[in-house]
Amino acid sequence: MNVSEIFYSIQGEGMLAGAPSAFVRLSGCNLRCCWCDTPYASWRPEGEARRLEEILAEVGGYRASRVVVTGGEPMMAPQIGDLTRGLKDLGLHITIETAGTVYANVACDLMSISPKLANSTPSGSWAAQHERLRYQPPILRRIMGEYEYQLKFVLCEPCDLAEIKRILNETAADPTRVVLMAEGTTAGAIRQRAPWIAEICKREGFLYSPRLHIDLWGNQRGR
């Protein structure tokens, strides 16, 4: 498997924010979000080929009861099923971070689905492919029907709410599992958007998510 990095930190986002976790970041993605904060796993995929046994041994060496499999887009990795089942055999709680554009049969305790809104579409040669792939309602419905999930949306402007509501309606998603967070790679940028996002959460009954890793360490790799 092409692995960008493996590290031990805390979960920075979503329902499990603050939970100490091992992270396995796989390299490669089918999208090209203009605000992507991990270009080394997407726009310019880096990493090395690692054997499944090596990955499991490294993760098992951490003092963690939880693991987050992320990317890039981990659901498109050829051995993602074998990896997640191996992690489950280690007794770990598994979160998978996915955009919800690809389905795979995996072991997963929390499917952290982040459907990409129109605010993610880049300019240039990748725009048409990204726009075509970023939102796949049948795949979203299948994943939500088979796994415990959260729907995590990245907001840039208040008008993003209209698109979120349309997605929730089209996928019959549970609004109590919707998590909103601010786009930004600095604590200052996130604080600037946080107040109006929090007001949306209060009004709509959604959950607000911080980005704790940004608050603590900034936009650093391995954090």
Side-chain angles (χ1 to χ4, degrees), residues 28-43:
C29 190
N30 59 343
L31 301 180
R32 293 295 183 270
C33 299
C34 61
W35 38 252
C36 179
D37 59 357
T38 54
Y40 51 89
S42 176
W43 284 86

Side-chain angles (χ1 to χ4, degrees), residues 6-221:
I6 300 174
F7 58 95
Y8 181 51
S9 186
I10 63 166
Q11 174 59 274
E13 303 168 351
M15 293 176 173
L16 297 178
S21 305
F23 287 76
V24 178
R25 186 181 304 283
L26 303 179
S27 195
C29 190
N30 59 343
L31 301 180
R32 293 295 183 270
C33 299
C34 61
W35 38 252
C36 179
D37 59 357
T38 54
Y40 51 89
S42 176
W43 284 86
R44 297 181 296 278
E46 303 172 6
E48 59 178 334
R50 301 280 301 273
R51 291 187 299 112
L52 181 61
E53 295 78 8
E54 295 176 358
I55 299 170
L56 295 174
E58 185 166 346
V59 172
Y62 292 118
R63 299 174 62 182
S65 60
R66 301 177 185 273
V67 62
V68 180
V69 183
T70 184
E73 176 49 73
M75 294 285 272
M76 61 187 283
Q79 289 183 284
I80 185 63
D82 293 335
L83 172 63
T84 58
R85 286 185 282 274
L87 294 169
K88 181 54 66 176
D89 288 342
L90 294 177
L92 298 172
H93 176 284
I94 301 170
T95 296
I96 297 179
E97 298 278 354
T98 178
T101 63
V102 179
Y103 176 85
N105 183 6
V106 295
C108 181
D109 297 289
L110 178 64
M111 194 68 75
S112 181
I113 313 167
S114 183
K116 298 304 181 276
L117 304 177
N119 64 34
S120 68
T121 301
S123 58
S125 60
W126 268 96
Q129 178 168 321
H130 178 94
E131 189 63 24
R132 177 173 58 85
L133 293 177
R134 69 176 176 83
Y135 176 49
Q136 302 291 329
I139 295 176
L140 287 174
R141 287 191 289 266
R142 182 176 184 183
I143 294 174
M144 290 189 293
E146 294 184 15
Y147 297 96
E148 194 81 8
Y149 71 92
Q150 63 182 3
L151 279 181
K152 191 172 63 177
F153 292 99
V154 175
L155 281 74
C156 294
E157 303 291 342
C159 60
D160 291 334
L161 179 61
E163 187 177 1
I164 291 171
K165 286 187 171 182
R166 177 174 60 82
I167 291 173
L168 300 186
N169 182 62
E170 291 175 353
T171 61
D174 181 350
T176 67
R177 295 186 170 275
V178 173
V179 180
L180 305 186
M181 68 182 191
E183 190 281 319
T185 56
T186 67
I190 293 169
R191 279 197 301 270
Q192 195 170 35
R193 290 185 167 114
W196 59 262
I197 294 177
E199 290 302 318
I200 290 175
C201 290
K202 288 162 59 180
R203 185 173 70 247
E204 303 292 336
F206 301 151
L207 301 175
Y208 173 82
S209 175
R211 303 190 72 193
L212 296 177
H213 53 299
I214 299 292
D215 293 339
L216 292 170
W217 299 294
N219 190 31
Q220 294 186 40
R221 293 179 66 160

